[in-house]
Amino acid sequence: MSSARIVVIGTGYVGLTTGACLAGLGHRVTCVDVDEAKVARLAAGRVDILEPGLAELVGRGLTSGRLTFVVGARAAVSDAEGVFLCVPTPMGAGGAADLRAVEAVAAEIGDVLPPGCALITKSTVPVGTSRRIADLLGRGDIPVVSNPEFLREGTAVADFLGPDRIVVGSDDRAAAEWVGGLYADLAAPTVVADAASAELVKYAANCFLAMKLSYVNAIAELCERLGADITSVTEGMGHDRRIGRAFLKPGPGWGGSCLPKDTHALLRIAEAAGYEFGMLTSAIDENLAQRDRIVAKIAGAAGGNLAGARIGVLGLAFKAGTNDLRDSPALSVCSVLSAMGAELTAYDPAVGGEIAGMTVVDDPYQVAKGADVLVVLTEWDEFRKLDWSYLAELMHGDAVVDTRNLLEPGVILDAGLSWLGIGRPRARERVAL
Ligand code: UDX
């Protein structure tokens, strides 16, 4: 496809990635946000989000003139061929997605969209939203297209430019195909569907991933009870191509900006459709149970009582490679530990500032000072490379709880510490490995 005139509304991690990548693909992109200071920073090439490759892509877009940042959606859309809605759809009351931002933008630009311009939802919206937006617009000349994103934080640019698939859905098939054509250079399979199906793909995929993780965490729990090792079990499972190797790592529970909100939203969608989605409810419950099992593990490592125990925390972000704390399982574990009287000192390479219930420090060795237990909650690779003998010297106790199975147990034992992972045998002495 030749270069298209695109407007992206919302410059969060999805909107900014979408805008910068579409400009990188040769389209002329205007990114709009209501936050004037943010727009000024972006126009100067300053990117606040920790997303590999994004700042470079924004810089190249600005230099080439194919990417611009403005305030004011109405003026921006006046000659657009496609407008992407990338505004937040947070979890609202009762778990359903809060669509106020999407609806407000649709209302704001509805009467100034040029005829034939496609209005494209990238934000995860409940099934039926495209049709609802079309009704809200009341304009038969504006096709509404769902084009869900599958971007993981920390690899958003790579995911955008090397997607497993492109999904476009609309009740106007030609419009859906036109949006699919924007990605023609990416050579990914394109699924063209009706609007409702495209909207459901996103929830179905994310909830499947959440269920897969809850399942793995449950199997890890079984491993501990049965004396099996989750690493071998998932290796054995992962070779089965029907299962795949991805998303088989146990952890402190799944979190982040998507999986928790999307699982709750699909539950509400199912409920509204008269279907009780028990399997999904169980996956959410299992995720809470996992958090509680982790807390119990840490309490055990602290000698059974968390009151007054000094816990050193390595990792706060919901996963490595991001500074995002939204629905972070690490924070969730910490808040329970703190409520039970533990004293927490935490370090995360990407997170600073004040967090209630803990002292956040900017040096990983500081968390070990006087700690009874050290807990790894985010799988940052740099934790592997710490000087574990020095950490051991600084600690008061000798227990390391590794909720990501990140560390090499032998290294921890050689440092004179004990290692407790998830779904793996406890390592107290070299010979036990
Ligand atoms: C997710 C989806 O993967 C993406 O397609 C969607 O668009 C947005 O939501 P993201 O939230 O960035 O992406 O993170 P992801 O890498 O999917 O991890 C989600 C959670 O699962 C994290 O808390 C992560 O630590 C956890 N996880 C992931 C595991 O515990 N084990 C794994 O094997 C994989």
Side-chain angles (χ1 to χ4, degrees), residues 149 151-153 213 247-249 255 258 318-319 404:
E149 50 84 14
L151 309 176
R152 287 164 300 172
E153 287 183 38
L213 290 175
F247 269 68
L248 283 185
K249 287 205 196 90
C258 288
F318 81 94
K319 65 173 187 178
R404 298 280 187 170

Side-chain angles (χ1 to χ4, degrees), residues 345-371:
T345 306
Y347 167 78
D348 187 295
V351 179
E354 306 254 303
I355 298 179
M358 64 178 84
T359 307
V360 181
V361 296
D362 58 6
D363 169 14
Y365 295 98
Q366 236 174 301
V367 305
K369 272 189 198 147

Side-chain angles (χ1 to χ4, degrees), residues 311-316 345-351 359-371 373-376 378 380-388 390-395 406-407 417:
I311 311 290
V313 174
L314 290 170
L316 293 169
T345 306
Y347 167 78
D348 187 295
V351 179
T359 307
V360 181
V361 296
D362 58 6
D363 169 14
Y365 295 98
Q366 236 174 301
V367 305
K369 272 189 198 147
V373 182
L374 265 190
V375 184
V376 174
T378 311
W380 287 102
D381 199 45
E382 70 167 72
F383 296 156
R384 272 189 236 262
K385 298 169 193 151
L386 293 173
D387 180 344
W388 281 93
Y390 182 44
L391 286 168
E393 270 174 43
L394 295 169
M395 282 178 73
L406 173 79
L407 308 170
L417 299 168

Side-chain angles (χ1 to χ4, degrees), residues 1-4 18-29 57 66 160-161 166 181-187:
M1 176 191 276
S2 57
S3 166
T18 301
C21 288
L22 286 175
L25 290 175
H27 301 298
R28 273 162 293 151
V29 182
L57 212 50
R66 282 200 296 270
F160 193 102
L161 297 174
I166 306 284
L182 295 173
Y183 303 91
D185 287 351
L186 296 182

Side-chain angles (χ1 to χ4, degrees), residues 13-191:
Y13 100 98
V14 171
L16 188 58
T17 306
T18 301
C21 288
L22 286 175
L25 290 175
H27 301 298
R28 273 162 293 151
V29 182
T30 306
C31 289
V32 183
D33 206 288
V34 286
D35 183 338
E36 285 184 30
K38 190 175 183 185
V39 166
R41 281 199 302 279
L42 288 168
R46 291 212 302 279
V47 175
D48 299 333
I49 317 168
L50 187 68
E51 204 55 75
L54 187 56
E56 292 80 349
L57 212 50
V58 168
R60 278 209 296 279
L62 288 169
T63 310
S64 68
R66 282 200 296 270
L67 182 64
T68 47
F69 294 93
V70 300
V71 181
R74 281 177 72 81
V77 301
S78 62
D79 71 340
E81 293 168 271
V83 174
F84 282 88
L85 295 182
C86 298
V87 290
T89 51
M91 205 190 303
D98 179 344
L99 287 181
R100 276 177 298 181
V102 171
E103 288 170 355
V105 174
E108 184 190 351
I109 60 174
D111 61 331
V112 285
L113 287 170
C117 172
L119 190 56
I120 308 148
T121 52
K122 259 243 177 273
S123 318
T124 306
V125 291
V127 180
T129 301
S130 293
R131 283 175 195 153
R132 195 158 136 206
I133 293 176
D135 288 346
L136 213 104
L137 287 177
R139 287 186 54 176
D141 59 344
I142 301 292
V144 181
V145 180
S146 161
N147 173 215
E149 50 84 14
F150 301 97
L151 309 176
R152 287 164 300 172
E153 287 183 38
T155 54
V157 171
D159 287 347
F160 193 102
L161 297 174
D164 288 338
R165 77 302 208 184
I166 306 284
V167 176
V168 282
S170 176
D171 297 340
D172 177 337
R173 193 175 168 93
E177 282 170 355
W178 181 80
V179 175
L182 295 173
Y183 303 91
D185 287 351
L186 296 182
T190 301
V191 179

Side-chain angles (χ1 to χ4, degrees), residues 389-413:
S389 301
Y390 182 44
L391 286 168
E393 270 174 43
L394 295 169
M395 282 178 73
H396 174 252
D398 68 354
V400 176
V401 178
D402 180 1
T403 72
R404 298 280 187 170
N405 289 344
L406 173 79
L407 308 170
E408 187 51 57
V411 172
I412 307 305
L413 296 183

